[in-house]
Amino acid sequence: MPSTRRTARQADLLERLVALLTAEGFSDLTLDDLAVRLRCSKTTLYQLARSKQGLVVEAVKHYFRGATEAVEKRVAQTVEPSDRVRVYLTAVAEQLRPLSRRFLDDVADFPPAREVYEANTRMAAERVRQLIAEGVSGGAFRDVHTAFVGEVAAATMRQIQQGELKARTGLSDAEAYEQLASLIVHAVSAASS
């Protein structure tokens, strides 16, 4: 099994792999195509994962790890509870914006990659629940049933992830997250009744 400790060259290769896959998708690319496009040997790719499928999963995991770090960094710089919810969901939207529709469709069609995306969606929904609970306990939000609001957010996030909202509304994943942020913040604001 490939080592999780990567050399600088492997880290660079993984970054370039992520950039390629997120821009163009992966279902039509072979391992040979990846080696040519990334200007490396298949042996070098095998140092990251043992198969094309493994490379895809590694790339998707790597992308979401970086996205999560970027989102949490933005939230950590924000104090006001309503801003934290808005910043969180807007930062998620920003992280999704560069992902091509082809990549998202390929992820949806490939169960191991879809599971990575679904796991990240579940973690994001839990984070929204936490942020709302913090706002309620701090008096910034009205006393709402945080688990319910979190479930509504989670259901919407799943529909975004599965492409259902795009099909019904025409909103991109990023735009849908921005709308979700606005909806949740307005729904839980202390001024609401």
Side-chain angles (χ1 to χ4, degrees):
M1 173 158 261
S3 170
T4 55
R5 293 185 139 235
R6 303 200 190 286
T7 66
R9 182 170 185 245
Q10 289 170 332
D12 174 66
L13 179 62
L14 185 56
E15 288 293 331
R16 291 187 295 122
L17 176 66
V18 167
L20 174 64
L21 299 185
T22 58
E24 299 179 24
F26 52 83
S27 63
D28 293 337
L29 294 172
T30 66
L31 200 55
D32 287 327
D33 294 333
L34 292 173
V36 168
R37 298 285 300 278
L38 296 170
R39 298 180 314 279
C40 67
S41 68
K42 287 196 299 187
T43 302
T44 301
L45 288 173
Y46 285 131
Q47 292 173 347
L48 295 178
R50 292 184 174 176
S51 64
K52 176 193 164 189
Q53 292 79 10
L55 284 170
V56 167
V57 170
E58 281 300 309
V60 173
K61 285 180 180 178
H62 184 74
Y63 182 82
F64 282 110
R65 267 193 304 271
T68 299
E69 289 172 14
V71 168
E72 288 299 335
K73 182 177 180 182
R74 293 271 309 277
V75 172
Q77 298 168 346
T78 309
V79 177
E80 200 61 39
S82 62
D83 290 341
R84 288 171 61 83
V85 172
R86 187 183 322 279
V87 164
Y88 181 83
L89 289 168
T90 301
V92 168
E94 289 170 3
Q95 292 301 311
L96 292 175
R97 189 167 282 115
L99 302 179
S100 69
R101 185 74 247 164
R102 180 63 187 260
F103 173 77
L104 292 169
D105 290 343
D106 286 350
V107 166
D109 292 339
F110 181 51
R114 183 176 61 236
E115 177 49 38
V116 173
Y117 194 149
E118 289 171 353
N120 278 275
T121 300
R122 287 190 300 273
M123 288 185 286
E126 179 56 32
R127 187 66 172 118
V128 169
R129 283 186 203 95
Q130 291 171 353
L131 292 169
I132 293 168
E134 290 169 10
V136 168
S137 69
F141 296 152
R142 61 191 179 90
D143 190 15
V144 297
H145 194 285
T146 58
F148 176 77
V149 176
E151 283 304 310
V152 169
T156 303
M157 294 165 114
R158 279 190 296 274
Q159 289 181 7
I160 293 168
Q161 180 259 318
Q162 294 167 355
E164 294 173 19
L165 270 178
K166 179 168 180 49
R168 290 195 308 266
T169 66
L171 292 171
S172 70
D173 289 11
E175 291 166 336
Y177 269 95
E178 289 167 348
Q179 290 297 314
L180 180 60
S182 177
L183 180 67
I184 289 174
V185 169
H186 285 93
V188 300
S189 291
S192 298
S193 55

